[in-house]
Amino acid sequence: MSSSRPIRVAFIAAECEPWAKTGGLADVVDALARALGQVGLGAACGLADLVDVYLPNYRGIQVPGAAQAVPLSVPDPLARSGTTALRLLISETHGYRLHLVDHPPAFDRDGLYGPPGDGDHPDNAWRFGLLCRAALEHLRTGGSTGAPPDLIHIHDWHTGPAALLRDSVYRADPAIGGAAMLLTVHNLAYHGWTPPERAPELGLSPRELAAVGATNGIDLLRAAVTRSDLVNTVSPGFAAEALTPEFGMGLDGDLRARGDRFFGILNGLDTELWDPATDDALPARYSRENRSGKGACRRALLGELGLDPSDARPVLSMIGRLDRQKGFDLLAAAAPALIAQGFRLAVLGSGSHEVVEPLRAVAQSPAGAGRIALVERFDRDLARRMYAGADGFLMPSRFEPCGTGQMVSLRYGTPPIVRATGGLRDTVIDVDRDPVAGTGFAFEGEDPKALVAACARFERHRSGDRAWDSLLDRGMAVDFDWRSASAPAYLEAYRRAIALRAA
Ligand code: ADP
């Protein structure tokens, strides 16, 4: 293939904002697909067309009005007829071409991955195998444009079946067998382990399962890590950490074995979607040039959460999936000391309620009354009001491949207090380490005392420091726009993967 021919790129993903989201994966898939269209179309060495995104048509998705329904028959060794009939709902929207894989028995149920708050759907291998099979089958015959993809970009374990299918069912198929594959690992902790009795549901025959070594069950993320032409994760910092047993989640050896075929590309942020100057969810809008509306956001947020709006003492917000990863237990351990020092906490989380039990106990104790607001649900608009209305933003993650919250909080003029790990280390500069360039506060380790100390440094700067305004200003000025660095880096990775595949 000529190195300068425009390329065709397809994404397969389990989440995409605004249709289906539990975390940052959705933000990235949507924003990267759009940014690639913006920087790649018409560029030398760019894209031949919009990115094609394949996503399950989960329950509750508002299918774009102009979507065209295209029937598709997908080979399925477990179906009596040998095929599963489904539909693709195709629309050009948000700067890419969305393909919703519509098969109600697989996707019309509560919860993307499992019943809310209750583990996984037992047949996830079948559900996500079907997503991948539908995408590859459609792409094989030219997709929506009549031409097969040069590169298939898969995301996290849910799309691991695509790597298995490419190397078995579609091995001899020139369109899919010849296409390059890039895996982006957004979260190394979830592997999609599929036990032997469930492996046939992936859509491979017994012979094909044996050929890809899945007869005794299969770790779908590992399969994608070992089989994709290139693998990246979402920050250089986490890419380095992932090679160690401490952060590698059992895949550090597989990642080390990929040598320079595994690397980090820092996520961007959709700066149009996340902009306090245009955010409809906020009671008042503000910008880097004029932050006066932020005070109104603070007052409204505290009123909404039942915290005293007239109290000037610091309010820290935290937003995230209720997962051990995010460090809610660390915050719970630190909370009594923080309350004693005058802090108030506004916490929004969704997922497993157990994770937040220790924090709930502090919130319900006499000391926590009026000091901790804990909201346990997914609430897109409240999250926006919390990014804007708090004085500081907490992200004490145990590990963090990149993290979105700290980038949003910087953009919303709410300095982040983060654990120095992975992408958090790459995106937040500690102001005591670098008073000229600093944008927030970082602490090392898992000791709650370190978190309390970082919050105390935050308050010292906020209450006494004439440089506080400059700190906010620098944070709001950071250029996380996908189009600046991240999307061009992906285009370069696509070219490299295509060259590797061709060789
Ligand atoms: P992860 O991908 O590990 O979940 P990120 O920080 O990359 O973490 O992304 C989390 C995204 O999901 C952010 O956009 C955050 O605002 C959003 N989010 C997480 N939990 C909630 C919630 N309970 N309500 C609203 N938004 C949430």
Side-chain angles (χ1 to χ4, degrees):
M1 189 194 107
S2 145
S3 62
S4 59
R5 181 171 68 80
I7 58 173
R8 292 178 187 278
V9 174
F11 283 19
I12 312 176
E15 297 188 26
C16 183
E17 167 80 6
W19 292 280
K21 169 166 171 172
T22 68
L25 169 65
D27 295 319
V28 174
V29 168
D30 166 69
L32 175 58
R34 176 169 41 261
L36 285 167
Q38 289 169 338
V39 300
L41 279 177
C45 303
L47 296 184
D49 209 325
L50 295 178
V51 172
D52 288 305
V53 177
Y54 291 82
L55 176 77
N57 188 28
Y58 299 108
R59 174 175 292 176
I61 285 187
Q62 300 286 320
V63 178
Q68 190 198 349
V70 174
L72 185 71
S73 176
V74 174
D76 178 352
L78 290 189
R80 208 173 299 150
S81 63
T83 58
T84 293
L86 46 79
R87 298 190 309 167
L88 293 177
L89 307 175
I90 305 173
S91 55
E92 245 181 65
T93 177
H94 291 60
Y96 44 89
R97 200 176 298 103
L98 179 70
H99 301 67
L100 291 168
V101 175
D102 186 46
H103 189 58
F107 302 122
D108 184 16
R109 36 175 114 164
D110 280 344
L112 271 48
Y113 308 123
D118 187 26
D120 294 332
H121 291 303
D123 55 354
N124 274 347
W126 173 64
R127 301 171 70 231
F128 293 107
L130 191 68
L131 164 70
C132 295
R133 192 74 190 242
L136 297 185
E137 196 56 30
H138 188 237
L139 290 166
R140 183 179 73 80
T141 53
S144 296
T145 58
D150 299 290
L151 182 123
I152 301 168
H153 189 165
I154 61 175
H155 299 265
D156 278 351
W157 70 265
H158 329 98
T159 53
L164 296 173
L165 289 159
R166 183 188 67 157
D167 287 0
S168 56
V169 177
Y170 295 102
R171 195 184 175 87
D173 181 89
I176 301 302
M181 199 165 266
L182 170 76
L183 164 71
T184 297
V185 180
H186 301 262
N187 196 324
L188 198 53
Y190 296 96
H191 291 201
W193 167 251
T194 302
E197 66 277 14
R198 290 282 180 185
E201 296 179 10
L202 290 166
L204 283 73
S205 69
R207 204 156 54 91
E208 289 157 350
L209 282 175
V212 294
T215 315
N216 298 321
I218 189 151
D219 175 321
L220 291 173
L221 185 61
R222 172 176 278 132
V225 162
T226 53
R227 290 175 182 280
S228 298
D229 299 286
L230 289 177
V231 181
N232 82 295
T233 187
V234 287
S235 70
F238 187 71
E241 288 173 353
L243 300 176
T244 66
E246 187 189 350
F247 290 98
M249 314 279 175
L251 292 183
D252 45 295
D254 300 277
L255 292 169
R256 283 196 301 276
R258 298 308 312 264
D260 72 351
R261 290 192 182 205
F262 171 62
F263 50 91
I265 297 177
L266 189 67
N267 277 344
L269 185 71
D270 190 319
T271 50
E272 282 165 23
L273 222 58
W274 294 107
D275 184 352
T278 56
D279 193 328
D280 287 338
L282 304 187
R285 280 167 275 289
Y286 59 94
S287 62
R288 184 182 161 210
E289 292 69 35
N290 181 357
R291 285 200 307 274
S292 56
K294 198 172 189 303
C297 290
R298 184 183 195 274
R299 284 190 296 281
L301 175 72
L302 297 187
E304 177 177 355
L305 296 179
L307 302 173
D308 177 4
S310 64
D311 187 339
R313 289 177 299 174
V315 176
L316 306 177
S317 62
M318 176 164 166
I319 301 164
R321 284 177 300 112
L322 294 179
D323 186 298
R324 219 183 97 76
Q325 171 193 349
K326 299 295 178 185
F328 287 99
D329 53 338
L330 197 63
L331 180 62
L338 290 175
I339 292 173
Q341 292 179 20
F343 286 93
R344 286 175 296 163
L345 303 172
V347 180
L348 172 63
S350 49
S352 156
H353 297 293
E354 279 159 38
V355 168
V356 88
E357 247 165 42
L359 188 63
R360 199 183 311 126
V362 186
Q364 288 170 353
S365 73
R371 311 299 295 280
I372 301 181
L374 175 59
V375 181
E376 294 179 53
R377 62 169 187 264
F378 191 92
D379 189 329
R380 188 180 270 115
D381 288 352
L382 177 57
R384 289 169 174 275
R385 291 194 288 277
M386 284 177 54
Y387 285 120
D391 299 307
F393 183 75
L394 287 166
M395 223 154 145
S397 306
R398 276 205 169 72
F399 65 92
E400 198 57 81
C402 180
T404 308
Q406 82 283 12
M407 292 196 265
V408 175
S409 79
L410 284 167
R411 189 155 166 77
Y412 278 55
T414 305
I417 302 165
V418 304
R419 177 165 177 221
T421 185
L424 296 175
R425 198 194 288 275
D426 289 349
T427 49
V428 177
I429 304 171
D430 188 285
V431 71
D432 284 325
R433 277 213 174 164
D434 188 341
V436 177
T439 53
F441 302 83
F443 64 93
E444 303 277 343
E446 283 193 27
D447 187 343
K449 289 200 188 91
L451 170 57
V452 175
C455 293
R457 289 197 291 122
F458 166 94
E459 185 51 12
R460 262 202 309 281
H461 280 268
R462 187 184 82 105
S463 56
D465 198 330
R466 273 179 293 126
W468 186 247
D469 274 347
S470 328
L471 174 84
L472 300 192
D473 184 65
R474 278 195 302 276
M476 293 185 84
V478 179
D479 180 12
F480 288 123
D481 193 321
W482 275 100
R483 293 164 291 194
S484 304
S486 311
Y490 274 100
L491 275 175
E492 203 181 310
Y494 295 161
R495 292 248 156 231
R496 191 176 153 219
I498 291 165
L500 285 166
R501 190 76 187 161

